[in-house]
DNA sequence: CGCGAGCTTGATGCCGATCAATGCATGTGG
DNA sequence: CCACATGCATTGATCGGCATCAAGCTCGCG
């Protein structure tokens, strides 16, 4: 092999400045100068096969990860083996923020399809964000946004009924997919009914039944993991308490 | 009144460096130098009467607040009027982190007793944390800790039954009170059954019934808002799935 | 083809919601 | 000081939504 070929193919693309996710990811709002420095920081990628774990709860925390391609779930579990999916992450979203709190990850991150993440060494990110106000501010916004998202999930888990939960889930998913240039009305679920159920505080049978009901009611077409949204407004009405 | 008396009594105490909460609050782990600068930053206090709101959802975000004395709840609400308590905050805990995400608060913060908070102007905190690594790191830890806490609440809401939720709630509360030098076994609840229920995803009647059951079972003595924990280990066993 | 993981659907039961009445503490005005 | 109102808590009776248990179905894959 020649020297030039020994360079990993990813090396050419590991650059936030030319990444097509830069408007969704950490670099949002950064200027040319900041971006160049960020490119130096985010120098490596990591491939995670479907079913594999990016990090486990308890692992020492070193880096944040930005999803480049693929799809992840994060889940926490209690001592007695209870398990809760805390989120699903897609391209441009950050993984690992939980680890900052005590230098260990406190949840598992599992790839639900073959995925690729950008590795962001955390201490270097702190260094760089001391230098660049915009980066610092953007990073804080991302953490804050995660907190706000979590509060929304609490609202869902604490006060919504099964149909409302699933409707809210689907609308959230399609909205994020749309922001990434995918269809807002047709999607393929990367997670099982059980994983959806865990996220929504429901059993997989309830998730399945609710999908069927949505189909009967004309909101969706459901064929296993293929979902087509027929009546988005109807789902939206469900989430707001139109039926109460 | 003499001049000396006209000086607000608080003026002497508005100093993180001499605050008895500094080991629980933002200043954790800061050196002398950092602390002095933080003192300049956190120059004002604010008194919030019981029942009053420190900030509303939608208010422009300017500052974080550190609880100095008293007790708060934060709650989010959806368009259709659904309401969810997302947390209870006591001395040394930060309020307002949700506001960073889009320069507006996204929840209400309500004082559950007469309280006092330290006002931390956010943009100045950002400035200062660009200068002091330790402050920056501590701030990030606090945000991350909030995310981890939220994930714990999701686990609770998504997978625990009523008794487990209330037991977990009480243990968490006493643990935090103990860290502040209060008794771990005797406490006065600052919130109503309804607020507890909202936080735990239960109705107030269920909360009340569960308190009564805990009393029958010999875990607690309950007299309205006065709680005495008789069998902490028993509660702990409940939280872990000892009964499953 | 046959196996297994995941999904669907049905029957039943239980936990917690709901509805309703009473009790208890605090405060207020006559 | 009592009468009454008000807010919060307790307790009971009933109901319903979701969990649970169980059986069959679909589809991808070795």
């Amino acid at each position: 092999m020649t020297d030039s070929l020994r360079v990993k193919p990813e090396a050419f693309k590991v650059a936030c400045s030319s990444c097509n996710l830069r408007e969704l990811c950490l670099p949002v709002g950064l200027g040319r100068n900041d971006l160049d420095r960020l490119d130096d920081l985010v120098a490596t990628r990591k491939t995670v096969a479907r079913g594999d774990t990016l990090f486990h709860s308890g692992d020492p925390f070193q880096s944040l990860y930005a999803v480049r391609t693929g799809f992840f779930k994060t889940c926490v579990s209690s001592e007695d083996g209870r398990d809760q999916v805390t989120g699903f992450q897609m391209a441009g979203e950050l993984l690992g923020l939980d680890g900052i709190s005590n230098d260990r990850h406190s949840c598992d991150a599992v790839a639900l399809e073959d995925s690729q993440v950008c590795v962001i060494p955390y201490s270097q990110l702190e260094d760089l964000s001391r230098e660049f106000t915009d980066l610092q501010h953007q990073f804080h916004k991302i953490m804050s946004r995660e907190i706000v998202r979590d509060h929304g999930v609490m609202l869902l888990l604490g006060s919504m009924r099964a149909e409302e939960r699933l409707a809210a889930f689907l609308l959230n998913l399609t909205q994020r997919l749309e922001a990434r240039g995918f269809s807002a009305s047709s999607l393929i679920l990367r997670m099982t009914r059980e994983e959806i159920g865990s996220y929504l505080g429901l059993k997989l049978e309830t998730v399945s039944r609710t999908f069927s009901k949505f189909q009967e009611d004309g909101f969706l077409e459901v064929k296993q993991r293929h979902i087509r949204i027929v009546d988005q407004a109807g789902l939206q009405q469900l989430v707001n308490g139109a039926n109460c």
Side-chain angles (χ1 to χ4, degrees), chain A:
Chain A
M1 261 193 189
T2 69
D3 273 347
S4 67
L5 278 180
R6 221 180 287 137
V7 175
K8 285 181 301 186
E10 287 98 336
F12 292 107
K13 300 188 296 179
V14 174
C16 294
S17 52
S18 62
C19 177
N20 57 10
L21 291 168
R22 67 183 178 279
E23 289 308 319
L24 290 163
C25 194
L26 192 57
V28 169
L30 297 194
R32 184 86 211 118
N33 197 11
D34 308 27
L35 266 179
D36 288 345
R37 298 291 300 277
L38 195 58
D39 285 350
D40 299 339
L41 173 59
V42 186
T44 62
R45 292 260 177 77
K46 200 171 167 185
T47 295
V48 189
R50 173 184 166 151
D52 281 0
T53 300
L54 178 59
F55 54 79
H56 283 95
S57 179
D59 286 354
F61 167 72
Q62 303 272 353
S63 301
L64 299 171
Y65 304 93
V67 180
R68 204 181 128 64
T69 64
F71 204 87
F72 284 81
K73 70 169 176 181
T74 47
C75 42
V76 296
S77 42
S78 56
E79 303 84 62
D80 54 313
R82 243 186 293 247
D83 213 60
Q84 173 77 23
V85 172
T86 54
F88 297 106
Q89 293 78 22
M90 56 180 74
E93 296 176 332
L94 246 51
L95 284 160
L97 293 173
D98 55 279
I100 299 169
S101 75
N102 60 350
D103 301 319
R104 298 202 166 270
H105 288 286
S106 66
C107 65
D108 300 344
V110 181
L112 297 183
E113 58 181 338
D114 292 345
S115 302
Q116 210 178 34
V117 297
C118 301
V119 180
I120 308 172
Y122 176 64
S123 67
Q124 291 177 48
L125 178 64
E126 280 198 337
D127 293 345
L128 200 58
S129 75
R130 254 177 281 122
E131 219 174 310
F132 295 108
T133 311
D134 288 346
L135 178 62
Q136 178 197 34
H137 197 65
Q138 178 58 20
F139 178 54
H140 290 172
K141 280 196 178 215
I142 289 175
M143 295 206 91
S144 175
R145 200 171 301 141
E146 173 68 14
I147 292 173
V148 172
R149 187 193 72 84
D150 291 349
H151 290 177
V153 176
M154 286 185 212
L155 178 69
L156 180 146
L157 290 171
S159 73
M160 291 188 176
R161 290 171 319 96
E163 292 184 19
E164 300 167 335
R165 294 186 197 191
L166 189 62
F169 170 72
L170 289 171
L171 290 173
N172 174 275
L173 213 54
T174 53
Q175 178 189 315
R176 285 153 66 201
L177 286 170
E178 197 173 14
R180 283 155 184 80
F182 294 100
S183 162
S185 62
S186 180
L187 66 153
I188 299 176
L189 299 173
R190 301 302 175 182
M191 68 295 276
T192 67
R193 301 289 191 258
E194 186 169 19
E195 285 160 342
I196 297 173
S198 172
Y199 182 59
L200 298 179
L202 302 169
K203 291 291 145 181
L204 70 94
E205 295 95 327
T206 304
V207 174
S208 180
R209 267 184 255 271
T210 308
F211 269 126
S212 300
K213 174 144 197 310
F214 281 174
Q215 188 160 229
E216 286 168 26
D217 294 351
F219 294 131
L220 302 178
E221 280 171 21
V222 183
K223 226 175 280 168
Q224 304 283 116
R225 298 199 182 181
H226 295 253
I227 308 286
R228 214 170 67 77
I229 303 206
V230 179
D231 181 4
Q232 179 167 15
L235 287 178
Q236 190 65 59
Q237 279 210 323
L238 256 186
V239 175
N240 312 337
N243 52 341
C244 302

